[in-house]
Amino acid sequence: MNTIIGRRSEQDDLEEWCRSRKAELICVYGRRRVGKTYLVESMFRNRIAFSATGSEDKRVKPQLRVFAGALQRHGERAKSVPADWFEAFDRLRELLEQPDVTRTENGRRVVFLDEFPWFATKRSDFLTAFADFWNAWASKQRDMIVIICGSATSWIIKNLFENTGSMFDRITRRLYIAPFTLRESELMTASLDLGWSREAVLDAYLVFGGLPYYLDMLDRRKSLAQNIDDLCFGAHAPLRNEVPHLMEATLSDSPLHRDVVRMLSRSKSGVHRAKIAEALGDGGPLSRVLDDLEKCGYIRKYKNPYEKNKPSIYQLVDPFLLFSFKFMEGQVESWASFAGSPAYYAWRGNAFELACLAHIPQLKAALGIGAVQTACFPWASSLSALGAQVDLVIERADHVTDLCEMKYTDEPLAVSAEYERKLLRKRSAFMQESGTRNAVHLVAVSVHGIARSTHADCLAKTVTLGDLFS
């Protein structure tokens, strides 16, 4: 079995589901490059009865040829291409009924259909035929495990989880594969013998967003800046055109998808839906695009509970998309020369906030409120005279509100008398506008902690990079 970095709970879930005493239809989903296929194949290597991977070709015949080739690799003697998907699944059933079919140690027959949405080309009968295969036969085989996997997250949610037809309520288990945490990213860089500090791992995370596929491309002979140049900015850089492939594979890319992401990439804390509609046009297409991007985990929707009418705000939260739209459309020629510029530090501060958003459980654990129900959102004063902004508000069910100031500095954060006054004014503005009855605490989330100073006493708690790696 291949070594799997992290993913302990995901492995535990798959192992437990394989011990069940009924047929299982497991959907493994998550964005492109996150390691879904690697996880499944590593856990079931040499114990899969049948596996096939959908082709990016959007025509029916090529998909059927791919499926026929997979049938032959797993022992079918017929050489013909199925006439349609009903014949294809009939032939899969015959293959699985053979006495010498491959089984797991506990006797389960495992079918793995990777890039499942790609099989379901327009005007094909794939999904209907698969539903018939599952409903009429596979679901009645107590030793059957069918794992379907795909990067087209919005398609999976709409066509499988929210299906009201023949696939209604058929998925027995759902396994969402998220990007690596900072800790998992650290484990992977260690396995690659990169010899990096945690600051270097964080810097890589701010660019690549904890995606194993990208991290695996790093060259240990080169610095991070050199790696970024080679992977993203060189004439033949492998990730130079990654965004179109990423969005096509996940969303069936459209210009509006990219326009929305580009617009959100220019805003630190997000854009109101009304402003997006004003700039890009309202209506059904925009609603679908926002829904797609949110379901894929590229953006998030939140509401400021203290804003009048509580309008929806959309924020780009995918680090690699933020990096790509800011720097890979011609604005930067060399990362090594760009690093250290004012624009670099502005991006780094924004990207660090996104990294913190992705590590809310670790942040809460550091504050000792891991089990407390919370609501998390940025906040900005609506009164021009106050002009205060809070990077992250953590509204807690235990009647405390934490105002988090997130700072990525190269040295411990120095809290001067002026900075202390700024923080206290910010807290006062929040209390005045929100009318909250909670106790309001100031919290610093600082990569290198806080420099010793009497002015730092205004901070109730400090969260460091080590806490985010926990």
Side-chain angles (χ1 to χ4, degrees), residues 324-368:
S324 299
F325 277 89
K326 274 193 170 294
F327 304 121
M328 290 173 62
E329 292 190 335
Q331 296 92 327
V332 172
E333 294 183 359
S334 167
W335 191 252
S337 60
F338 175 76
S341 68
Y344 164 82
Y345 287 114
W347 160 80
R348 190 177 74 166
N350 187 7
F352 178 60
E353 291 179 26
L354 296 189
C356 293
L357 270 181
H359 291 77
I360 293 294
Q362 290 84 354
L363 201 158
K364 289 176 60 176
L367 295 174

Side-chain angles (χ1 to χ4, degrees), residues 264-284:
L264 297 186
S265 72
R266 302 187 188 112
S267 173
K268 176 181 175 181
S269 57
V271 182
H272 287 75
R273 191 194 185 286
K275 289 188 176 180
I276 301 174
E278 181 181 344
L280 303 177
D282 206 346

Side-chain angles (χ1 to χ4, degrees), residues 7 28-39 149-151 176-180 209-214 246:
R7 308 295 191 209
V28 179
Y29 66 109
R31 60 161 289 170
R32 180 176 166 92
R33 310 300 201 191
V34 81
K36 304 179 297 298
T37 302
Y38 183 84
L39 174 65
C149 182
S151 302
Y176 175 72
I177 307 300
F180 275 169
L211 294 173
Y213 181 87
Y214 301 154
L246 172 67

Side-chain angles (χ1 to χ4, degrees), residues 12-149:
D12 289 344
D13 285 342
L14 284 172
E15 290 173 355
E16 179 63 23
W17 298 340
C18 287
R19 286 193 288 266
S20 77
R21 298 182 179 181
K22 63 183 181 68
E24 298 284 3
L25 178 54
I26 302 169
C27 182
V28 179
Y29 66 109
R31 60 161 289 170
R32 180 176 166 92
R33 310 300 201 191
V34 81
K36 304 179 297 298
T37 302
Y38 183 84
L39 174 65
V40 174
E41 290 185 341
S42 296
M43 291 199 65
F44 293 99
R45 187 168 296 279
N46 301 322
R47 298 178 297 157
I48 295 178
F50 176 81
S51 67
T53 302
S55 167
E56 289 188 75
D57 194 309
K58 297 180 180 179
R59 296 170 296 163
V60 177
K61 282 296 184 182
Q63 301 290 353
L64 287 168
R65 282 196 290 269
V66 166
F67 202 86
L71 288 169
Q72 293 163 24
R73 286 194 301 276
H74 288 279
E76 187 189 55
R77 293 183 179 180
K79 301 297 183 183
S80 62
V81 175
D84 56 30
W85 283 111
F86 284 95
E87 180 187 337
F89 281 107
D90 282 343
R91 286 164 58 173
L92 174 57
R93 172 178 172 174
E94 292 174 4
L95 178 70
L96 295 171
E97 289 178 330
Q98 296 301 311
D100 60 346
V101 67
T102 300
R103 295 176 181 269
T104 64
E105 291 89 341
N106 59 353
R108 307 303 293 265
R109 290 174 287 177
V110 177
V111 172
F112 179 37
L113 300 179
D114 198 9
E115 296 299 355
F116 186 83
W118 285 353
F119 283 119
T121 54
K122 289 183 179 179
R123 292 181 293 278
S124 83
D125 53 6
F126 172 79
L127 198 56
T128 304
F130 174 78
D132 182 70
F133 164 78
W134 174 258
N135 294 332
W137 181 74
S139 63
K140 297 176 174 60
Q141 312 301 308
R142 295 180 61 182
D143 64 344
M144 183 62 62
I145 295 176
V146 177
I147 302 174
I148 58 180
C149 182

Side-chain angles (χ1 to χ4, degrees), residues 367 400 402 427 440-444 456-462:
L367 295 174
V400 174
D402 292 316
R427 181 174 67 178
V440 179
H441 294 169
L442 291 170
V443 173
D457 292 343
C458 66
L459 297 168
K461 187 78 174 181
T462 300

